[in-house]
């Protein structure tokens, strides 16, 4: 099994969903994600990935996972080649890197971590064996041993990014809320259509005047 480095720059991608994603992973959910892998086509399912936060503090490695789908092409008109390579993977550990990391960038400056290029400009570079061994050992010490998450995913069906998952959840929640509002409105108007009933009134069509007309006379008086 080979390990690869994925890069996250909050300057380029703020990732507002990260705190919620970290909570889902901590709760034991098998959360999948999609990530660009640069020009690397050698990544295979089962390979290890680590995500490194760059450009802004706190800098360092904050997530790990296992590849579930080898690199595939995603159309991208902003690229000269017309596409970008992506991989799917499942998290086995993740913290909210807006607040903390597991292994800081300063720690990675020391041997044997220092043999690796951590501040890469693109994701998908392989982690050198000597650095990988030290990284896995330090990672295990700080995160504990855990089983690989089980993921039921078709090989020809790309995973959804955590951003897409959050958008879908938001959309479904809004649809559910809209459905409840529509049901309340329908109940309101159905009640209003009943014989001798008016909106906001259970005493006939007198607008809540308890049998009195606007002039103050009882109904039927002349």
């Amino acid at each position: 099994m080979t390990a690869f480095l994925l890069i996250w720059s909050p300057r380029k991608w703020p990732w507002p969903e990260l705190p919620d994603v970290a909570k889902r992973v901590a709760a034991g959910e098998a959360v999948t994600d999609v990530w660009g892998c640069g020009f690397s086509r050698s990544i295979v399912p089962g390979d290890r990935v680590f995500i490194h936060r760059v450009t802004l503090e706190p800098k360092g490695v904050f997530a790990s996972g296992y590849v579930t789908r080898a690199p595939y092409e995603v159309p991208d008109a902003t690229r000269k080649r017309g596409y970008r390579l992506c991989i799917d993977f499942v998290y086995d550990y993740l913290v909210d890197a807006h607040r903390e990391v597991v292994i800081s960038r300063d720690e990675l400056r020391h041997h044997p971590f220092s043999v690796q290029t951590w501040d890469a400009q693109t994701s998908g570079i392989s982690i050198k064996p000597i650095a990988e061994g030290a990284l896995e050992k330090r990672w295990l010490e700080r995160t504990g041993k855990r089983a690989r998450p089980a993921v039921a995913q078709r090989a020809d069906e790309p995973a959804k990014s955590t951003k897409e998952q959050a958008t879908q959840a938001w959309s479904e929640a809004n649809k559910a809320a809209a459905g409840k509002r529509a049901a309340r409105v329908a109940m309101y108007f159905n009640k209003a259509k009943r014989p001798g009933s008016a909106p906001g009134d259970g005493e006939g069509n007198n607008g809540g005047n308890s049998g009195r007309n606007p002039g103050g006379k009882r109904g039927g008086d002349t």
Side-chain angles (χ1 to χ4, degrees), residues 44-61:
V44 298
D47 279 343
R48 201 84 162 100
V49 289
F50 290 90
I51 307 180
H52 184 217
R53 174 180 164 123
V54 300
T55 67
L56 295 175
E57 295 291 351
K59 300 176 184 177
V61 183

Side-chain angles (χ1 to χ4, degrees), residues 1 22 32 50 75-76 80 128 160 162 175 185 192-193 195 198:
M1 180 175 62
T32 56
F50 290 90
D76 188 345
K80 285 186 177 181
K128 297 177 181 179
K160 291 183 178 179
T162 50
K175 287 181 180 178
V185 171
K193 291 178 180 178

Side-chain angles (χ1 to χ4, degrees), residues 15-34:
W15 203 358
E17 304 85 13
L18 177 55
D20 289 333
V21 178
K23 290 178 182 177
R24 291 167 58 195
V25 175
E29 184 178 343
V31 180
T32 56
D33 211 341
V34 181

Side-chain angles (χ1 to χ4, degrees), residues 62-75:
F62 66 95
S64 62
Y66 294 91
V67 176
T68 58
R69 189 183 184 194
Y72 56 94
E73 297 178 3
V74 176

Side-chain angles (χ1 to χ4, degrees), residues 69 88 153-159:
R69 189 183 184 194
D88 297 347
Q153 179 183 336
R154 290 171 46 189
D156 60 344
E157 183 179 317

Side-chain angles (χ1 to χ4, degrees), residues 91-150:
Y91 293 100
D92 72 320
Y93 195 84
L94 172 68
V95 296
D96 179 5
H98 292 302
R99 303 174 57 187
E100 61 177 329
V101 295
V102 178
I103 302 177
S104 71
R105 181 65 183 90
D106 286 340
E107 292 179 85
L108 299 175
R109 301 183 193 281
H110 301 286
H111 187 78
F113 302 113
S114 57
V115 303
Q116 178 69 34
T117 300
W118 297 102
D119 299 316
Q121 296 298 310
T122 184
S123 294
I125 65 171
S126 62
I127 300 176
K128 297 177 181 179
I130 186 173
E132 177 189 349
L135 180 64
E136 284 283 14
K137 181 179 179 181
R138 185 71 56 85
W139 198 257
L140 181 62
E141 292 171 351
R142 296 189 178 177
T143 68
K145 188 175 182 179
R146 56 182 42 78
R148 182 184 305 191

